[in-house]
Amino acid sequence: PAVVRAEAVQAYSDAMMMLFGQQRHFRTWLCIYPTVLMMRLFKSFAAQPRLAVVTETFKNAASDMFHFFIVFASVYFCMSLNAVLFFGQDDVNFARLDWALFHVWRVMLGDWDWESLRSIGREKAFAWFSMLMLVVVVIMMNILISILMGSYAEVKRAADHADSLFRQVLNMIRRARETRKGKRVRLNDTQ
């Protein structure tokens, strides 16, 4: 009986682990729906020129951003490789290139531990950190912002004369009232 019970418990445990794995897999796929919904919202924003400013800005800047990201990826990869060479023996976060790519991203966004960086020597850590902050954070991020702002200015200028969303809703209400009163003929009613 004890052997049978142990086998039953093991079978139950295996079934539960498989169920948990399937549930995690299902939740991962379930996350796709809000992403698709977000994309559909961006598509529907195109119907109103002032709401379409964001999507049109990205469309307008796509070529410049593509070329920018080629340069950014090159610089970012080199800085991550430098981090592996500088810090790899002393800090587990930089021991492998894939870990360093992730950790350099965190450092770039402001999440760094100076004490662990300093473990290789204050001067080398300061040189690497200063180079990362100057080249990647200050210069490259400002170039990205200027690309987006230039594109935004063009798109905004084109959308300035379009009706606002509030004005568009008021026009729709006015047209509906005029149609009910017989002062306006619907397009479907014309021959």
Side-chain angles (χ1 to χ4, degrees), residues 79 82 86-87 114 120-135:
M79 291 304 296
N82 281 342
F86 270 174
F87 308 111
W114 177 249
I120 64 160
R122 184 177 299 198
E123 294 79 17
K124 284 182 9 181
F126 179 76
W128 178 84
F129 185 76
S130 298
M131 186 69 88
L132 178 75
M133 289 295 131
L134 179 68
V135 174

Side-chain angles (χ1 to χ4, degrees), residues 151-172:
S151 178
Y152 176 79
E154 287 178 31
V155 171
K156 180 76 169 125
R157 194 171 24 257
D160 271 346
H161 301 295
D163 285 343
S164 67
L165 185 61
F166 182 69
R167 172 58 52 198
Q168 205 171 16
V169 169
L170 289 178
N171 284 339
M172 290 169 62

Side-chain angles (χ1 to χ4, degrees), residues 135-149:
V135 174
V136 177
V137 176
V138 175
I139 295 173
M140 298 297 282
M141 289 300 117
N142 280 310
I143 290 172
L144 178 62
I145 290 170
S146 68
I147 289 169
L148 288 171
M149 291 306 294

